[in-house]
């Protein structure tokens, strides 16, 4: 059944074709997060950089559920978190701190996504972080960085430490907090986040099943990591993300308005 959405005047034709395409992709990502049950009421964030020298990026309105987000409802903000142009919505300062830090520090960080799922938080609280218990975990494990918890992310000074901890990696466990992924496109970022979230789910299920855990043979995690680094961006762009967009259109095409 199509999900209801908040009525927002359409921005299609009022922004560049490039920005509109990114808006549609990001709104799709919000809808798919809601579809998979990864949303945390209104309290997590997915963002994408808008083309151009101004370093503007798109963020969700703070008062909308993820299944209500549309391409036109996304708020364009500057590097100081101020909306660019009139908008009836407000943004979340914690979302601005985390996302702006990475967008401003990494030219390749066109999309940044952060979640608070129970399994993601549970693995982030585990001393050893993500374990090589599944193929999914082995594919992404070498990409995962760690950032220690410093409280709700409203302190602008935390941005430097967050960026330093992420380095050149494309995924992160925010300790005692949740998961994060970076991508050169919305689609790549979402598939990377999906992979990390699925790995966390499997880990929690495996550890809850008992102590007799089978670990992969020596060298296998490294092979899987190499395979994942080579194939994930390509699979995201040409296979998995287009399939997810088709699914989002079937669920409720209003996201693309």
């Amino acid at each position: 059944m199509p999900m209801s959405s908040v009525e927002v005047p359409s921005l299609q034709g009022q922004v560049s074709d490039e920005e509109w395409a990114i808006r549609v992709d990001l709104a799709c990502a919000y809808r798919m997060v809601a579809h998979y049950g990864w949303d945390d009421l209104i309290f997590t964030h997915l963002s994408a950089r808008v083309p151009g020298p101004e370093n503007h990026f798109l963020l969700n309105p703070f008062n909308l559920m993820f299944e209500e987000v549309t391409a036109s409802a996304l708020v364009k903000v500057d590097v100081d978190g101020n909306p660019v142009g009139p908008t009836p919505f407000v943004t979340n300062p914690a979302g601005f701190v985390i996302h702006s830090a990475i967008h401003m520090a990494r030219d390749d960080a066109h999309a940044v996504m952060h979640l608070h799922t129970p399994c993601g938080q549970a693995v982030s609280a585990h001393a050893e972080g993500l374990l090589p218990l599944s193929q999914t975990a082995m594919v992404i494990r070498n990409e995962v960085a760690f950032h220690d918890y410093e409280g709700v992310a409203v302190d602008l000074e935390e941005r430097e430490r967050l960026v330093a901890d992420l380095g050149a990696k494309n995924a992160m466990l925010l300790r005692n907090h949740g998961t994060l992924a970076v991508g050169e496109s919305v689609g790549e970022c979402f598939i990377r986040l999906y992979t990390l979230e699925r790995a966390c789910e499997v880990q929690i299920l495996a550890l809850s099943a008992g102590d007799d855990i089978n670990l992969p043979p020596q060298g296998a995690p490294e092979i899987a990591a190499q395979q994942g680094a080579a194939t994930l961006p390509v699979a995201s762009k040409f296979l998995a993300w287009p399939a997810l967009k088709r699914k989002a259109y079937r669920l409720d095409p209003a996201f693309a308005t």
Side-chain angles (χ1 to χ4, degrees), residues 31-152:
R31 296 300 185 98
M32 296 314 297
V33 166
H35 174 73
Y36 286 115
W38 296 341
D39 46 345
D40 181 17
L41 295 179
I42 60 172
F43 296 110
T44 60
H45 326 283
L46 322 177
S47 64
R49 180 184 286 124
V50 174
E54 301 89 354
N55 285 319
H56 294 160
F57 63 94
L58 302 171
L59 197 65
N60 56 310
F62 194 22
N63 60 324
L64 295 190
M65 300 291 286
F66 281 20
E67 70 264 22
E68 297 176 309
V69 172
T70 64
S72 296
L74 292 164
V75 182
K76 182 159 55 176
V77 299
D78 61 22
V79 295
D80 295 316
N82 300 311
V84 178
T87 176
F89 302 114
V90 296
T91 57
N92 184 346
F96 167 69
V97 169
I98 292 173
H99 291 251
S100 63
I102 299 170
H103 280 297
M104 290 190 292
R106 294 263 302 264
D107 288 340
D108 63 333
H110 293 288
V112 180
M113 301 183 182
H114 165 48
L115 300 178
H116 295 161
T117 65
C119 289
Q121 292 186 77
V123 172
S124 77
H126 194 276
E128 295 186 47
L130 189 63
L131 301 172
L133 300 182
S134 65
Q135 175 174 273
T136 311
M138 288 182 270
V139 162
I140 198 170
R141 189 164 174 259
N142 282 1
E143 288 199 58
V144 178
F146 298 88
H147 176 67
D148 286 336
Y149 187 68
E150 299 188 24
V152 177

Side-chain angles (χ1 to χ4, degrees), residues 175-198:
R175 289 293 195 179
N176 313 99
H177 186 174
T179 55
L180 181 142
V182 175
E184 293 190 0
S185 67
V186 171
E188 179 185 314
C189 189
F190 186 92
I191 299 304
R192 184 169 285 119
L193 185 67
Y194 177 94
T195 305
L196 178 57
E197 284 290 336
R198 181 54 61 93

Side-chain angles (χ1 to χ4, degrees), residues 5 19 26 31 40 122 203-204 232 246:
S5 59
E19 178 177 331
L26 188 59
R31 296 300 185 98
D40 181 17
Q203 178 165 322
I204 296 305
L232 189 146
R246 294 194 301 272

